[in-house]
Structure formats: structure tokens, C-alpha cells
Amino acid sequence: ELSNGPTLAFKDMAMQLLGNLFEYALDKQKEELNILGATSGDTGSAAEYAMRGKHSIRVFMLSPHGKMSPFQRAQMFSLQDPNIHNLAVRGVFDDCQDIVKAVSNDLAFKAKYKIGAVNSINWGRISAQIVYYFKAYLAVAKNIGDEVSFSVPSGNFGNVCAGHIANMMGLPVKHLIVATNENDVLDEFFKTGHYAPRAQTLHTSSPSMDISKASNFERMIYDAVGRDGATVRELWGKVDKGQGITLSGEQFERVKQFGFVSGRSTHADRLTTIRSVYEKYGEMIDTHTADGVKVGLEYREAGVPLICLETALPAKFEETIREALGKEPVRPADLKGLEDLPQRVEVVDVDVEAVKKYIVANS
């Protein structure tokens, strides 16, 4: 259960820590920070709730216009704190992420306007998430040294990348099960060794995983190619041009040795899984967690504990829960009527320069 933070998503666990670390470091250095981020659903609200009211910090969060659930949009856009700025981009999450990377790669602009990141490309996020795996392992392993498997709903590859690093640190992991939705670029890779980001990202009922170019995937590939930076630069030069890449047999064998396997879940699978879990255990799970449970069970082995990392509370995805169960998910009392609150958001085109101008005007 990773979804008991202020925005009901697993990202709160790392983001609350990061917000306090940022404020602490900035105070010591007497500096300011403009955080530029992109969200497909949960990162944005988790970041904004972690940074709201923090002095010396401003947040500029990009999200795909009209592509998140009403609850997710309301969580972000209803915040009235003057240091929080929401920009809804007329595109998909990958467009938002590309803008963040383009601004971050403009080193002169980044230095002048003190641009920082809170997406899972931020190492602080990854390092905090590594703790989940050790905590969960100690909760279920009968004896230290016994192997366990983790099933992780995956979009930007940050959460499962933390699991990979935990494994590299010595945690006894049998399998890291990468669960995708209909945007199955990662599933294709882990089955074939071929990685080809799609030209079009599908809008699904597990929207936080609606990603076709996973940022943290590059980190795992770095390990798979023997930590050779030149090879990664060559591969990602092709990826950035929209070309597919294929690992060599030796490199792909190393990926398998890391314990990675994968699977795909569809809307129909989500409905079936939500229903079966509720009927069997009386527990409501959200759409992303359902993807993780569905794919995880495909790899379940006798004698090896299987842990699925929860992604969010079902209250964030009421429409699909109603479709699956015919009832409303329980919503925390302090979030009732959230969608009725006034919202602050600026709608912008997929335009790096427009985003830069907005940052300059509001810094």
C-alpha cells in the first residue's frame, strides 16, 4: 500500500521527502528554484502538494490537456497557492516530457532561471523509491536470502527502475515484472530486445501509464550495455530521432539476468481484475494496480512471494470503478467535492518557447 499520502498516489512517498529536502538545501544556500515537471496523472499533484507554500520554490507543471481523469485534473488545478503553475499542453504526455527535456538541455536558460526537476528523472525520487523494495521484502520473506518477485505497473519506468537498483544492491529479487497497459512499448522490449517508441500514445483507463517514451528506461539500458556511456548516447541518438533500437544478444541476455519479465493489460483485463479482487478479498484496487495484479499473476510461482506495488487509490478513477463494480469507490472526506472547486490552469500549445516565456513571466 503506497497510496496513503495527500494525493492518494505512490509518488507522494518520495515527493514529500523531496519537497523538504529542496527547501532545506535552498535555505542553506540562500537560493531559489523553478521546478519544471511533466505529468501523465499522478506526478503533478504529488509534486504540487509537496511543494505548495514552500518558500524559494515555484512549480511549473505540464500535463496533457484533457487526458487525465477529472479527479486528477481537479487535484492539480484547484490549488490556489501562488507558487504553483499548471500548464495544460495540447498534446500527449510524451510532448510534455519532451518540452521539459528541451528546456533542461538549454543550459544557459536552465542556469539563469534556476530550473530543477521533480519527475522520476530526478535521482532523489529514485533513491527514495528504492526503500519500498527493501521494506516489502522484509515484510514477506520468511528467511533473509529467500527470493521474492515484484510486479510493478509501469509507465515512465521510474518505480521499477528503483526495484532494479535495489536488486543491483543485493536484494534477492527473482523477477521484476513490468506491467504495461495498451501502450506496450516496454512489454515488446522485454520480450524481444527491440525498443521502438510509438508515434501515437493511446489514451487508456490507466492514464498515468499512457507513456510511449520512458525516461528511466535509459538508466537500465546503461547497465545492460556494460555502463558504456558512448553506446547509450549512440542508441538514444536513434531513439530521439524516432528510430527503433535492438540490443545485441549479449546485452539482452544481461537484461534477462537482471530478472526482468513483462506483460500487457487491457481495459477489459482491468475490469476483470478489479472485479475478481473485490469479489475474492473485498478490496477495491485502482486501474493501474489492476494492471500490475493481472500481469503479476501470470508469473506467479509456488514458493516465491509475489508483491504488487499499489499505484493509487481507486477514488482517483471513479468512472472505471463504477463500470467494473457498479458502485462508487470510497473517497476521503477531505476530498469530497474536489471537482467543484475553482481551477487555475493555462492551456498552451506544444511549444518549448511558449513555456520558456511563461516561466520568465512568472519567475
Side-chain angles (χ1 to χ4, degrees):
E1 291 185 350
L2 296 172
S3 299
N4 295 314
T7 73
L8 318 183
F10 79 96
K11 297 182 182 185
D12 287 322
M13 305 287 274
M15 205 69 82
Q16 290 290 312
L17 170 68
L18 204 59
N20 289 308
L21 289 176
F22 273 157
E23 189 173 51
Y24 173 77
L26 290 168
D27 282 351
K28 289 192 75 171
Q29 296 167 12
K30 295 182 171 54
E31 289 280 1
E32 293 190 350
L33 184 67
N34 285 322
I35 292 171
L36 177 62
T39 185
S40 56
D42 292 326
T43 293
S45 54
E48 292 179 357
Y49 276 72
M51 308 295 167
R52 65 185 301 196
K54 293 273 193 293
H55 48 85
S56 306
I57 298 175
R58 286 174 291 273
V59 177
F60 299 88
M61 189 58 62
L62 311 183
S63 60
H65 183 45
K67 299 291 194 299
M68 301 185 298
S69 75
F71 187 100
Q72 287 175 313
R73 289 197 296 271
Q75 270 192 317
M76 292 171 55
F77 302 164
S78 65
L79 290 180
Q80 302 298 319
D81 304 72
N83 70 322
I84 302 298
H85 302 274
N86 282 296
L87 299 173
V89 177
R90 294 185 180 95
V92 297
F93 170 76
D94 294 314
D95 296 318
C96 302
Q97 186 161 255
D98 286 344
I99 291 172
V100 172
K101 289 178 179 177
V103 173
S104 296
N105 287 336
D106 183 341
L107 299 183
F109 185 88
K110 184 178 182 179
K112 182 175 181 180
Y113 291 98
K114 305 183 188 307
I115 304 295
V118 289
N119 273 47
S120 52
I121 54 177
N122 184 302
W123 182 252
R125 282 272 308 279
I126 299 293
S127 58
Q129 289 174 319
I130 292 168
V131 178
Y132 305 164
Y133 291 86
F134 284 89
K135 169 72 172 173
Y137 177 86
L138 293 170
V140 304
K142 290 183 179 178
N143 303 292
I144 299 300
D146 290 352
E147 288 186 323
V148 305
S149 290
F150 292 91
S151 182
V152 191
S154 298
N156 217 18
F157 205 73
N159 208 359
V160 76
C161 183
H164 166 61
I165 296 164
N167 193 14
M168 300 282 280
M169 291 168 67
L171 193 68
V173 177
K174 177 71 178 289
H175 283 131
L176 286 166
I177 304 164
V178 179
T180 74
N181 62 13
E182 292 89 337
N183 295 291
D184 56 0
V185 174
L186 293 175
D187 181 37
E188 179 182 64
F189 170 79
F190 286 111
K191 285 187 165 72
T192 67
H194 180 68
Y195 178 66
R198 309 282 190 263
Q200 182 179 10
T201 303
L202 302 174
H203 180 43
T204 77
S205 54
S206 49
S208 299
M209 292 158 59
D210 290 349
I211 298 170
S212 293
K213 287 192 287 186
S215 286
N216 290 280
F217 184 66
E218 187 177 348
R219 287 183 161 132
M220 189 278 295
I221 293 295
Y222 178 66
D223 288 335
V225 301
R227 300 196 167 185
D228 183 339
T231 299
V232 175
R233 276 194 296 275
E234 181 185 344
L235 291 171
W236 251 253
K238 294 177 182 177
V239 171
D240 289 339
K241 292 175 185 173
Q243 300 170 12
I245 58 173
T246 303
L247 295 192
S248 70
E250 180 185 349
Q251 292 165 347
F252 190 46
E253 188 57 38
R254 196 172 287 137
V255 171
K256 293 178 182 176
Q257 290 169 3
F258 293 152
F260 283 106
V261 293
S262 67
R264 179 180 187 269
S265 176
T266 66
H267 180 68
D269 293 325
R270 286 188 275 286
L271 296 178
T272 299
T273 304
I274 290 168
R275 220 171 275 134
S276 63
V277 169
Y278 187 74
E279 288 170 357
K280 191 169 184 180
Y281 302 106
E283 290 283 343
M284 264 189 212
I285 59 174
D286 86 290
T287 53
H288 309 74
T289 305
D291 289 334
V293 170
K294 184 262 182 184
V295 176
L297 290 174
E298 293 172 357
Y299 289 96
R300 194 172 196 180
E301 301 172 65
V304 181
L306 173 65
I307 301 166
C308 178
L309 273 62
E310 182 194 54
T311 301
L313 289 189
K316 299 190 83 166
F317 307 97
E318 292 177 338
E319 185 178 335
T320 308
I321 299 300
R322 278 196 299 270
E323 185 180 356
L325 301 177
K327 60 171 64 180
E328 297 289 328
V330 176
R331 182 183 287 208
D334 60 334
L335 293 173
K336 287 179 180 173
L338 182 68
E339 292 90 337
D340 299 325
L341 296 174
Q343 298 188 2
R344 289 171 57 234
V345 61
E346 188 88 15
V347 180
V348 298
D349 291 328
V350 182
D351 185 341
V352 174
E353 293 306 315
V355 171
K356 284 182 178 177
K357 286 179 184 175
Y358 187 92
I359 293 171
V360 171
N362 290 278
S363 292

